[in-house]
Amino acid sequence: MSNFMTEIKIDASLEDVWEVLADIGSIERWNPGVVSSHTTTDEATGLGACRYCDLGGKNYLDEEVVEWEDGERLTMRIVGTNLPFKTADIHFRLHAENGATLVTVSPDYELKYGPLGGLLDALYVRRTYEKGMNALLAGLKQHIESDAR
């Protein structure tokens, strides 16, 4: 299992940040790595809610909320993809900090292909994945602070 953590401080209330994160079907509005997205369940938020993300080209993610604590944390699990993930849980944590919000993202993931997947992770995937998570956080910050909501 591989993991890493990245974080960003957003100059907005925890409630404002949570409102954007909790709208799981709208990730395309602020994540530059997502071309389009929508919910795929009757539940648009909360435990068990699911979304589809078109990543461009033929790449996609089907994700499910597997952890949800209002205003504090949520975990998205990749349940279907054509990317080389065997398993992946993406943990989002929020912490209020003097009128701002610290957002932490920490994926736990394992690649397909056994030892070859481990090599692929070391050579390419981890670096690319970290870059994507940093872009996701920068997009979230810009979206919220510019009040593009």
Side-chain angles (χ1 to χ4, degrees):
M1 184 76 64
S2 295
N3 57 43
F4 62 87
M5 183 195 74
T6 187
E7 61 188 15
I8 200 164
K9 190 178 205 177
I10 299 176
D11 292 324
S13 71
L14 187 141
E15 293 79 17
D16 286 347
V17 175
W18 180 256
E19 181 182 340
V20 173
L21 276 179
D23 185 5
I24 66 164
S26 298
I27 190 172
E28 69 185 43
R29 292 182 187 162
W30 51 270
N31 183 346
V34 176
V35 174
S36 66
S37 61
H38 60 273
T39 55
T40 58
T41 52
D42 290 339
E43 306 83 24
T45 62
L47 200 59
C50 296
R51 72 177 169 207
Y52 174 84
C53 297
D54 177 349
L55 306 178
K58 295 182 180 184
N59 295 326
Y60 71 93
L61 299 172
D62 283 313
E63 297 177 300
E64 179 181 358
V65 177
V66 295
E67 180 183 36
W68 183 280
E69 289 184 39
D70 275 333
E72 293 182 32
R73 64 181 64 208
L74 77 94
T75 298
M76 300 299 302
R77 176 168 293 157
I78 297 175
V79 295
T81 186
N82 59 346
L83 298 175
F85 293 105
K86 180 178 180 182
T87 63
D89 285 352
I90 303 95
H91 309 280
F92 292 85
R93 306 290 181 261
L94 280 65
H95 179 73
E97 197 171 271
N98 299 323
T101 303
L102 184 65
V103 181
T104 303
V105 177
S106 55
D108 294 319
Y109 65 98
E110 183 178 352
L111 298 184
K112 300 174 185 173
Y113 317 122
L116 181 60
L119 181 61
L120 184 64
D121 188 37
L123 294 175
Y124 177 73
V125 173
R126 181 186 177 101
R127 186 173 57 249
T128 303
Y129 202 7
E130 282 189 71
K131 191 176 188 181
M133 290 296 104
N134 283 318
L136 170 147
L137 287 175
L140 180 63
K141 178 179 176 71
Q142 193 234 347
H143 176 76
I144 292 171
E145 290 182 358
S146 70
D147 201 29
R149 301 173 284 132

